[in-house]
């Protein structure tokens, strides 16, 4: 039987009283001015604010991520660490096909890649990053970090549930879809973890021309995503005005 991810996410949102009648029928206007603004903020932001508010938001994020992870497992999904070389999926379609068809999901471990410089002493992330804490979950002898759990649930509910691709547009849609499953109290760090990094990767100063434009695949100065650096892993909450700017990109459609 095909895994009903859409229904699972809908029922979860309703059961948590996050929305009585959630809808995922939204159109996206990928405004590059907004994308550049978010990428500039993320690029210039400190690694962490170190505040209790930030810590509280991450506690909520981790608790809800664990709950979503267990929801998948309770509904028959086998979630295992990817222990081979490379990435477990070459495309979002391959991820979706295996998850829906076999109810299996592989997780590319955070230990093997977590932002630029992740394997070196020059890692651009806080030393006490909350998502790097060990979770209560073990699979195939590997104790998942909370970031591993987040990768799993984001792949399932952000990408596979509605076929959102591994592109800038698909990542924005995945962030929008998955955001509905989290309480607003943690949205500032949730969107920093998703939209902040997405905007930096696709629209950051390292890929822009001096005039602010971003090369497209047909341009000679275009750098393919596979050759770009991963974003720094910052824990700083996204400011309210940028949260509002992100939300303004989506309009409900019938």
């Amino acid at each position: 039987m095909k895994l009903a991810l859409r229904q699972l996410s809908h029922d979860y949102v309703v059961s948590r009283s996050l929305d009585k009648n959630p809808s995922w029928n939204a159109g996206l206007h990928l405004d590059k001015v907004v994308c550049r603004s978010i990428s500039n903020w993320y690029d210039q932001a400190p690694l962490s604010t170190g505040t209790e508010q930030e810590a509280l938001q991450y506690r909520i994020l981790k608790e809800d991520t664990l709950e979503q992870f267990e929801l998948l497992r309770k509904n028959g999904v086998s979630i295992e660490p990817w222990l081979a070389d490379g990435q477990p999926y070459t495309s979002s379609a391959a991820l979706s096909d295996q998850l829906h068809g076999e109810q299996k999901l592989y997780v590319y471990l955070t230990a093997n890649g977590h932002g630029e410089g992740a394997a070196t002493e020059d890692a651009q992330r806080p030393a006490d990053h909350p998502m790097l804490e060990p979770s209560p979950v073990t699979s195939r002898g590997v104790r998942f970090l909370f970031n591993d759990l987040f990768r799993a649930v984001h792949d399932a509910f952000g990408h596979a549930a509605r076929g959102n691709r591994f592109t800038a547009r698909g990542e924005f849609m995945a962030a929008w879809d998955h955001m509905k499953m989290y309480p607003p109290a943690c949205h500032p760090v949730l969107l920093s973890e998703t939209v902040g990094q997405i905007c930096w990767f696709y629209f950051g100063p390292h890929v822009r021309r001096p005039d602010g434009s971003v090369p497209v695949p047909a341009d000679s100065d275009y750098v393919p995503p596979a050759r770009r650096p991963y974003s720094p892993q910052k824990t700083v909450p996204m400011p309210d005005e940028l949260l509002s700017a992100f939300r303004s990109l989506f309009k409900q459609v019938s």
Side-chain angles (χ1 to χ4, degrees), residues 53-68:
Q53 180 184 35
E54 178 186 300
L56 174 60
Q57 290 177 12
Y58 266 103
R59 283 199 293 273
I60 298 170
L61 176 62
K62 289 187 297 181
E63 289 169 359
D64 281 64
T65 294
L66 177 59
E67 194 164 332
Q68 293 173 28

Side-chain angles (χ1 to χ4, degrees), residues 151-170:
R151 286 180 175 181
V153 299
H154 188 70
D155 277 350
F157 295 118
H159 287 282
R162 289 164 189 82
N164 293 321
R165 300 172 61 192
F166 296 152
T167 62
R169 176 171 291 275

Side-chain angles (χ1 to χ4, degrees), residues 26-40:
L28 167 62
H29 170 57
L30 198 59
D31 188 327
K32 293 183 179 179
V33 174
V34 172
C35 294
R36 284 196 297 269
S37 295
I38 295 175
S39 73
N40 288 343

Side-chain angles (χ1 to χ4, degrees), residues 98-236:
Q98 183 171 59
L99 184 52
H100 282 112
E102 303 175 35
Q103 295 194 191
K104 180 182 284 291
L105 178 61
Y106 285 110
V107 179
Y108 181 71
L109 293 173
T110 304
N112 295 330
H114 188 236
E116 188 67 7
T120 74
E121 294 180 357
D122 298 325
Q124 298 180 52
R125 66 188 183 207
D128 55 351
H129 197 302
M131 300 301 282
L132 297 185
E133 294 175 7
S135 80
V137 181
T138 300
S139 176
R140 296 184 65 184
V142 175
R143 180 168 295 281
F144 282 138
L145 305 180
F146 275 98
N147 195 63
D148 297 324
L149 305 190
F150 182 75
R151 286 180 175 181
V153 299
H154 188 70
D155 277 350
F157 295 118
H159 287 282
R162 289 164 189 82
N164 293 321
R165 300 172 61 192
F166 296 152
T167 62
R169 176 171 291 275
E171 294 289 357
F172 267 75
M173 289 302 303
W176 174 258
D177 287 350
H178 198 196
M179 180 179 71
K180 297 177 185 297
M181 298 180 69
Y182 287 92
C186 74
H187 284 182
V189 294
L190 171 65
L191 292 188
S192 181
E193 288 277 338
T194 54
V195 178
Q197 294 182 25
I198 293 163
C199 286
W200 189 92
F201 184 81
Y202 285 102
F203 303 97
H206 60 296
V207 296
R208 296 200 303 256
R209 298 181 176 121
D211 65 359
S213 62
V214 176
V216 298
D219 296 329
S220 60
D221 55 347
Y222 175 76
V223 178
R227 290 172 46 200
R228 298 179 190 179
Y230 289 110
S231 67
Q233 299 292 318
K234 301 183 178 184
T235 61
V236 59

Side-chain angles (χ1 to χ4, degrees), residues 5-26 157 162 176-182 187 252-253:
L5 284 172
R6 294 189 184 191
Q7 192 63 47
L8 275 182
S9 56
H10 177 277
D11 293 348
Y12 181 86
V13 170
V14 173
S15 70
R16 296 293 308 281
S17 299
L18 298 172
D19 193 333
K20 293 182 179 179
N21 187 30
S23 172
W24 282 266
N25 295 325
F157 295 118
R162 289 164 189 82
W176 174 258
D177 287 350
H178 198 196
M179 180 179 71
K180 297 177 185 297
M181 298 180 69
Y182 287 92
H187 284 182
Q252 287 298 119
V253 295

